Amino acid sequence: MDRNELENINPDIFSRLPDREFTERDFEVENLPIDQREVCIFFSLTFSNHIRDIKDPEHPMTLEELKVVELSAIEVNDEANFCHVQFTPTIPNCSMATLIGLAIKVQLLRLLPARFKIDVTITPGTHNTADAINKQLADKERVTAALENTYLHTVINECLLFPEPQFVPRFIGRALEETKKADHQKVRYIQYSRQHIESYRRWRDIIYGSEKKWKSSLVFNV
């Protein structure tokens, strides 16, 4: 998009939370102690990691850097299989608000268990046509129709995916080969997805099926 056509030429930029360091020891420990960072991110089913790095449709910055999405605006109830994400467009008349909402919803639909009901809405009072956009995002048929549109599908993927795959940690690669999960469909998506790749819990879930089936006796040497 031509810079002269941007609706918000100089948006406010905010600092992002640092990515969590990921080590082989973390991957091997079954009962890793829970800390504050873990409560904020893992116990929200890593939703912040799922959507924080989505690219804004107009700018090269992420939704987190533009403060379009924040941890405080994510509501999760794992037992009730419910997730609600509120997002805040950078300006009240942002014409990209629907596209941003679709990108957030598609990312969560692709990455989360199918049992979850996912609601994505605009933060009240932050957009001129919030009610109309919220209705569109809540309508399954309209969301499906939008994703069947080749142009929209391409634009959404540009917001969600990197052009080149991210590097898989060496010991994760070995674990994937050992358990014959290297060709698992989620592996390729995680490599390309604009999310922090080094989530040992996500890889562990792919390799072992679920945390309840975690085989702590299996150790991988770098």
Side-chain angles (χ1 to χ4, degrees):
M1 180 176 290
D2 192 326
R3 183 174 176 81
N4 294 325
E5 298 178 358
L6 297 180
E7 294 178 327
N8 188 3
I9 297 178
N10 295 305
D12 293 330
I13 309 297
F14 300 85
S15 59
R16 55 172 282 134
L17 293 172
D19 290 326
R20 187 174 190 131
E21 184 180 357
F22 176 56
T23 67
E24 184 174 5
R25 180 181 178 280
D26 292 334
F27 187 74
E28 295 173 358
V29 176
E30 182 174 5
N31 297 311
L32 194 68
I34 303 299
D35 57 20
Q36 184 180 23
R37 178 82 170 154
E38 193 84 354
V39 171
C40 287
I41 294 190
F42 175 62
F43 275 82
S44 290
L45 294 181
T46 66
F47 290 141
S48 61
N49 276 350
H50 287 338
I51 65 177
R52 65 188 295 199
D53 288 329
I54 293 175
K55 189 183 79 67
D56 181 81
E58 288 190 313
H59 299 282
M61 288 75 77
T62 67
L63 297 188
E64 181 185 31
E65 290 171 323
L66 294 173
K67 214 169 184 178
V68 173
V69 294
E70 298 181 86
L71 274 175
S72 59
I74 300 171
E75 178 186 358
V76 180
N77 188 322
D78 190 15
E79 293 182 358
N81 302 319
F82 175 74
C83 166
H84 179 206
V85 175
Q86 288 189 338
F87 68 98
T88 304
T90 57
I91 53 176
N93 62 336
C94 177
S95 64
M96 297 290 176
T98 302
L99 182 58
I100 292 171
L102 278 172
I104 294 171
K105 191 155 191 173
V106 169
Q107 182 79 322
L108 294 178
L109 286 171
R110 287 176 176 176
L111 294 172
L112 298 181
R115 61 186 172 86
F116 272 89
K117 181 181 184 299
I118 300 168
D119 285 340
V120 177
T121 62
I122 294 177
T123 305
T126 64
H127 195 276
N128 298 338
T129 60
D131 290 343
I133 293 174
N134 289 342
K135 288 181 180 179
Q136 291 180 38
L137 295 175
D139 190 322
K140 292 182 180 179
E141 292 185 0
R142 296 180 74 171
V143 171
T144 300
L147 295 179
E148 290 176 349
N149 181 296
T150 303
Y151 172 74
L152 279 178
H153 189 269
T154 300
V155 173
I156 288 172
N157 275 340
E158 287 177 355
C159 294
L160 301 184
L161 304 177
F162 288 115
E164 300 293 334
Q166 299 179 79
F167 173 75
V168 176
R170 187 176 179 184
F171 58 93
I172 292 296
R174 290 188 177 184
L176 289 168
E177 292 291 341
E178 189 74 23
T179 56
K180 298 181 179 180
K181 295 292 180 65
D183 294 327
H184 194 290
Q185 60 181 356
K186 288 186 177 179
V187 172
R188 182 174 175 82
Y189 190 77
I190 289 176
Q191 283 186 269
Y192 281 88
S193 179
R194 288 182 180 273
Q195 57 175 317
H196 184 38
I197 196 170
E198 296 187 346
S199 170
Y200 72 95
R201 295 186 190 275
R202 190 177 308 128
W203 287 115
R204 212 162 69 173
D205 183 64
I206 290 174
I207 293 167
Y208 301 107
S210 72
E211 291 213 15
K212 293 180 181 179
K213 298 178 182 178
W214 164 241
K215 302 174 184 178
S216 58
S217 61
L218 189 56
V219 178
F220 304 96
N221 297 316
V222 177

Coordinates of all heavy atoms in Angstrom, one line a residue, residues 1 12 17 20 33 36 41 61 67-68 70 73 78 82 84 86 96 106 134 148 166 198 208 214 220-221:
M1 N 0.8 -1.2 0.0 CA 0.0 0.0 0.0 C 0.9 1.3 0.0 O 1.9 1.3 0.7 CB -0.9 0.0 1.2 CG -1.8 1.2 1.3 SD -3.0 1.2 2.7 CE -4.1 -0.1 2.2
D12 N 1.1 5.6 17.0 CA 1.9 5.4 18.2 C 2.5 4.0 18.2 O 1.8 3.0 18.0 CB 1.1 5.7 19.4 CG 0.6 7.1 19.5 OD1 1.4 8.0 19.0 OD2 -0.4 7.4 20.1
L17 N 6.3 -7.1 24.9 CA 6.9 -7.9 25.9 C 8.0 -8.8 25.4 O 7.8 -9.3 24.2 CB 5.7 -8.8 26.5 CG 4.6 -8.1 27.3 CD1 3.5 -9.1 27.6 CD2 5.2 -7.5 28.6
R20 N 9.7 -15.3 25.8 CA 10.2 -16.1 26.9 C 11.4 -17.0 26.4 O 11.3 -17.6 25.3 CB 9.1 -17.0 27.4 CG 9.5 -17.8 28.6 CD 8.3 -18.5 29.2 NE 8.7 -19.0 30.5 CZ 8.0 -18.9 31.6 NH1 6.8 -18.2 31.5 NH2 8.4 -19.4 32.7
P33 N 8.1 -25.2 37.2 CA 7.4 -24.3 38.1 C 6.7 -23.1 37.4 O 7.2 -22.7 36.4 CB 8.6 -23.7 39.0 CG 9.6 -24.8 38.9 CD 9.5 -25.4 37.5
Q36 N 5.1 -15.7 37.2 CA 4.1 -14.7 36.8 C 4.0 -14.7 35.3 O 2.9 -14.5 34.8 CB 4.6 -13.3 37.3 CG 3.6 -12.2 37.0 CD 4.1 -10.9 37.5 OE1 5.3 -10.7 37.7 NE2 3.2 -10.0 37.7
I41 N 0.8 -15.9 30.3 CA 0.8 -16.4 28.9 C 0.3 -17.8 28.8 O -0.6 -18.0 28.0 CB 2.2 -16.2 28.3 CG1 2.5 -14.7 28.2 CG2 2.3 -16.9 27.0 CD1 3.8 -14.4 27.4
M61 N 4.5 -3.0 11.5 CA 4.5 -3.3 13.0 C 3.4 -4.4 13.3 O 2.5 -4.6 12.5 CB 4.2 -2.0 13.8 CG 5.4 -1.1 13.8 SD 5.6 -0.1 12.3 CE 4.2 1.1 12.4
K67 N -0.5 -1.6 20.0 CA -1.4 -1.7 21.1 C -2.8 -1.9 20.6 O -3.8 -1.5 21.3 CB -1.3 -0.4 22.0 CG -1.5 -0.7 23.5 CD -1.2 0.5 24.3 CE -1.3 0.1 25.8 NZ -0.9 1.3 26.7
V68 N -2.9 -2.7 19.5 CA -4.3 -3.1 19.1 C -4.8 -4.2 19.9 O -6.0 -4.4 20.2 CB -4.2 -3.5 17.6 CG1 -5.5 -4.1 17.1 CG2 -3.8 -2.2 16.7
E70 N -3.9 -6.4 23.7 CA -3.2 -6.4 24.9 C -3.7 -7.6 25.8 O -4.8 -8.1 25.6 CB -3.6 -5.1 25.7 CG -3.1 -3.9 25.0 CD -3.5 -2.6 25.9 OE1 -2.7 -2.3 26.8 OE2 -4.6 -2.1 25.7
A73 N -7.0 -7.4 27.6 CA -8.2 -7.5 26.8 C -8.6 -8.9 26.3 O -9.4 -9.1 25.4 CB -8.1 -6.5 25.6
D78 N -11.0 -21.9 30.2 CA -10.6 -23.2 29.6 C -11.7 -24.2 29.8 O -12.0 -25.0 29.0 CB -9.3 -23.6 30.2 CG -8.7 -24.8 29.5 OD1 -9.2 -25.1 28.3 OD2 -7.8 -25.5 30.0
F82 N -14.2 -21.3 26.2 CA -14.5 -19.9 25.7 C -13.4 -19.0 25.7 O -12.5 -19.0 26.6 CB -15.6 -19.4 26.6 CG -16.0 -17.9 26.3 CD1 -16.8 -17.7 25.2 CD2 -15.6 -16.9 27.1 CE1 -17.1 -16.4 24.9 CE2 -15.9 -15.6 26.8 CZ -16.7 -15.3 25.7
H84 N -12.6 -14.8 24.5 CA -13.0 -13.5 24.0 C -11.9 -12.6 23.9 O -11.2 -12.3 24.9 CB -14.1 -12.9 24.9 CG -14.6 -11.6 24.5 ND1 -15.1 -10.6 25.3 CD2 -14.7 -11.0 23.2 CE1 -15.5 -9.5 24.6 NE2 -15.2 -9.8 23.3
Q86 N -10.7 -8.7 22.7 CA -11.1 -7.4 22.3 C -9.9 -6.7 21.7 O -8.8 -6.8 22.2 CB -11.6 -6.5 23.5 CG -13.0 -6.9 24.0 CD -13.5 -5.9 25.0 OE1 -12.8 -5.1 25.6 NE2 -14.8 -5.9 25.2
M96 N -9.6 -0.7 8.2 CA -9.0 -2.1 8.3 C -9.5 -2.9 9.5 O -9.1 -4.0 9.7 CB -7.5 -2.0 8.3 CG -6.9 -1.3 7.1 SD -7.0 -2.5 5.7 CE -6.4 -1.4 4.4
V106 N -9.2 -15.8 12.6 CA -8.6 -16.9 11.8 C -7.4 -17.6 12.5 O -7.3 -18.8 12.5 CB -8.3 -16.4 10.4 CG1 -7.5 -17.5 9.6 CG2 -9.5 -16.1 9.6
N134 N -18.7 -5.9 14.7 CA -18.8 -7.0 15.7 C -19.8 -8.0 15.2 O -19.6 -9.2 15.4 CB -19.2 -6.5 17.1 CG -18.1 -5.7 17.7 OD1 -17.0 -5.8 17.4 ND2 -18.5 -4.9 18.7
E148 N -13.4 -17.5 1.8 CA -13.5 -18.1 0.5 C -13.1 -17.1 -0.6 O -13.0 -17.5 -1.8 CB -14.9 -18.6 0.3 CG -15.2 -19.9 1.1 CD -16.6 -20.4 1.0 OE1 -17.4 -19.7 0.3 OE2 -16.9 -21.5 1.4
Q166 N 10.4 -20.3 10.2 CA 11.3 -20.0 11.3 C 12.1 -21.3 11.6 O 11.7 -22.4 11.3 CB 10.4 -19.7 12.5 CG 9.6 -18.4 12.3 CD 8.8 -18.1 13.6 OE1 9.3 -17.6 14.6 NE2 7.5 -18.5 13.5
E198 N 9.2 -20.6 19.9 CA 9.8 -21.4 21.0 C 8.9 -21.5 22.2 O 9.2 -21.1 23.3 CB 11.1 -20.7 21.4 CG 12.1 -20.8 20.3 CD 13.5 -20.3 20.7 OE1 13.6 -19.7 21.7 OE2 14.5 -20.5 19.9
Y208 N 3.6 -35.4 21.8 CA 3.1 -36.5 22.7 C 1.6 -36.5 22.7 O 1.0 -37.3 23.5 CB 3.6 -36.2 24.1 CG 5.1 -36.3 24.1 CD1 5.9 -35.1 24.3 CD2 5.8 -37.5 23.9 CE1 7.3 -35.2 24.2 CE2 7.2 -37.5 23.9 CZ 7.9 -36.4 24.1 OH 9.3 -36.4 24.0
W214 N 2.4 -36.9 28.5 CA 3.8 -36.5 28.4 C 4.7 -37.6 28.9 O 4.5 -38.2 29.9 CB 4.0 -35.3 29.2 CG 5.4 -34.9 29.6 CD1 6.0 -34.8 30.8 CD2 6.5 -34.6 28.7 NE1 7.3 -34.5 30.7 CE2 7.6 -34.4 29.4 CE3 6.6 -34.6 27.3 CZ2 8.8 -34.0 28.9 CZ3 7.8 -34.2 26.7 CH2 8.9 -34.0 27.5
F220 N 16.5 -35.9 25.0 CA 17.2 -35.7 23.7 C 18.5 -34.9 23.9 O 18.5 -33.9 24.6 CB 16.3 -34.9 22.8 CG 14.9 -35.5 22.5 CD1 13.8 -35.1 23.3 CD2 14.8 -36.5 21.6 CE1 12.6 -35.7 23.1 CE2 13.6 -37.1 21.4 CZ 12.5 -36.7 22.2
N221 N 19.5 -35.4 23.4 CA 20.8 -34.7 23.5 C 21.1 -33.9 22.3 O 20.9 -34.3 21.2 CB 21.9 -35.8 23.7 CG 21.7 -36.6 24.9 OD1 21.5 -36.1 26.0 ND2 21.9 -37.9 24.8

